[in-house]
Amino acid sequence: MRAVLVAVGLALASITGSFALACTLSAIEEWPVRLERNFLVVDGAVNGQRAGVMLDTGSTRTMMLRSAAQRLNLPLQRARNYRMFGVGGETAVEAVRIDFSVGKSVRTAWQILVAGEHDFGAGIDIVLGEDFLRAAEVEFDLAHGVVRLFQAKDCGNASLAYWASEGAGEVTIGRIDDSRPQILVPVRVNGQPIEALLDSGAPFSIMTRRNAELAGVTPDTAGVVVGKGRGLGSRSIDTWVGPFDSFAIGNENIRDTAILFGDLFRGATYVETGSRLPRPVEGLPQMLLGLDFLRSHRVLVAHSQSKLYFSYVSGPVFQSRGALRLR
């Protein structure tokens, strides 16, 4: 990510209350964000034309939606050795070279993937993934309609939640992998540990049906509401909204709530050469911590520290359990 760093000279307090005097958090830039069909979108440009850029921490790779490539009449290339899976199964993958910009960041002749079986709606052309975002510390301040990018220097374990005078919740980000960057954080649902993917591209938080069942909730549980969902893949998936006694992340504990669950990756299988037996794709998340969590919290993803800082702001984190009783 090429950008101009502007030092803001913050002295950051650590969790213990002492000061990390050498720690600086330099502002790179601030992006005004808006919601398009419950997706988080900023303005960018592709080949000099305005483009809607969806911020998607849940995507390991930046991509262009196939509908946008067709609209811009771009020549597509075969993407060799790439297969892509998501909610709803597999999507075909191609590649394209573009000149791209978002804020102050510019990339020329950038080869990115082209995928997606569905149009996400007018105004969304590029899915900006974690491969791009992880170059900075990323703050989601959706209550003020902005996403901020920073660079931390010499901060060690000092808290980067500069807005929280009384401290913020924090958890460690797991599985840092250059080839498959993800923001995986530990949570607990009804006391059961789950590894959740922070996914700003998911309109709502959702866990797998298996993990919901491990937490004691099934499609047959009293009060469960049935629905349908879809994602990057071609297939729709069965979903349910169920009552859960508790959801916990770090030192925050939410009681008596309702959370979406479903057959998230039912179609995420592949067949190896020389075999006829489908194999499930490994390493898929157990839960997506989506835009509902980000809208109700102020969140900073400190990539340099492998930490996630968060403070509750307002509103329901998920859905109210009372809403289930009214249906």
Side-chain angles (χ1 to χ4, degrees):
M1 183 184 298
R2 293 190 296 175
V4 177
L5 301 183
V6 181
V8 296
L10 296 177
L12 302 177
S14 71
I15 300 171
T16 62
S18 61
F19 285 87
L21 297 179
C23 175
T24 58
L25 191 63
S26 301
I28 298 175
E29 60 181 313
E30 181 175 287
W31 293 341
V33 295
R34 63 183 183 275
L35 290 178
E36 296 274 0
R37 296 181 62 183
N38 225 14
F39 294 112
L40 196 60
V41 180
V42 300
D43 288 329
V46 172
N47 294 349
Q49 299 186 50
R50 180 177 175 178
V53 180
M54 185 178 95
L55 305 183
D56 188 0
T57 60
S59 177
T60 60
R61 294 291 300 270
T62 297
M63 71 187 78
M64 171 175 278
L65 294 180
R66 184 167 288 105
S67 57
Q70 293 170 347
R71 178 178 62 81
L72 295 172
N73 197 29
L74 298 178
L76 303 183
Q77 310 161 18
R78 181 182 176 185
R80 298 179 182 274
N81 303 320
Y82 277 105
R83 297 186 70 178
M84 187 174 293
F85 299 84
V87 175
E90 186 172 7
T91 176
V93 183
E94 295 170 288
V96 68
R97 287 193 181 275
I98 60 172
D99 292 338
F100 172 74
S101 64
V102 57
K104 300 172 184 175
S105 185
V106 177
R107 296 193 178 184
T108 58
W110 189 28
Q111 181 168 306
I112 64 171
L113 301 180
V114 176
E117 304 306 312
H118 306 288
D119 188 342
F120 284 14
I124 301 178
D125 303 299
I126 298 289
V127 176
L128 199 66
E130 180 64 4
D131 59 333
F132 189 98
L133 295 170
R134 69 175 308 195
E137 329 296 350
V138 183
E139 179 192 352
F140 293 89
D141 183 6
L142 302 190
H144 294 98
V146 296
V147 167
R148 301 183 182 94
L149 307 183
F150 297 93
Q151 182 173 356
K153 183 179 180 181
D154 299 325
C155 289
N157 290 320
S159 174
L160 301 187
Y162 64 93
W163 67 87
S165 58
E166 298 182 358
E170 68 175 75
V171 291
T172 298
I173 298 170
R175 199 185 304 170
I176 303 299
D177 185 343
D178 289 339
S179 64
R180 193 177 181 183
Q182 294 178 302
I183 305 170
L184 294 168
V185 296
V187 303
R188 299 178 302 282
V189 179
N190 286 359
Q192 293 293 316
I194 293 178
E195 192 174 54
L197 174 68
L198 185 70
D199 188 354
S200 62
F204 304 99
S205 298
I206 181 171
M207 75 180 78
T208 67
R209 177 176 176 174
R210 178 179 182 277
N211 284 98
E213 291 174 348
L214 289 173
V217 178
T218 76
D220 297 324
T221 298
V224 167
V225 177
V226 67
K228 282 283 186 182
R230 71 179 190 181
L232 193 65
S234 60
R235 305 175 187 176
S236 63
I237 62 169
D238 294 324
T239 62
W240 300 267
V241 181
F244 291 86
D245 293 332
S246 66
F247 170 90
I249 176 171
N251 61 359
E252 181 177 308
N253 197 7
I254 302 164
R255 297 284 186 181
D256 198 25
T257 189
I259 304 175
L260 194 66
F261 65 97
D263 294 321
L264 283 184
F265 306 109
R266 183 178 57 188
T269 60
Y270 67 99
V271 177
E272 291 183 330
T273 303
S275 174
R276 295 183 179 180
L277 298 176
R279 295 173 56 112
V281 177
E282 297 180 356
L284 296 174
Q286 299 167 336
M287 181 176 186
L288 306 180
L289 200 57
L291 194 55
D292 48 0
F293 180 84
L294 291 173
R295 292 178 72 175
S296 58
H297 291 78
R298 189 164 177 173
V299 175
L300 188 143
V301 183
H303 288 104
S304 65
Q305 295 179 326
S306 298
K307 286 187 179 182
L308 182 80
Y309 298 96
F310 56 93
S311 297
Y312 175 74
V313 177
S314 65
V317 179
F318 304 117
Q319 302 185 48
S320 72
R321 197 158 168 173
L324 292 180
R325 301 188 185 107
L326 295 176
R327 295 185 184 182

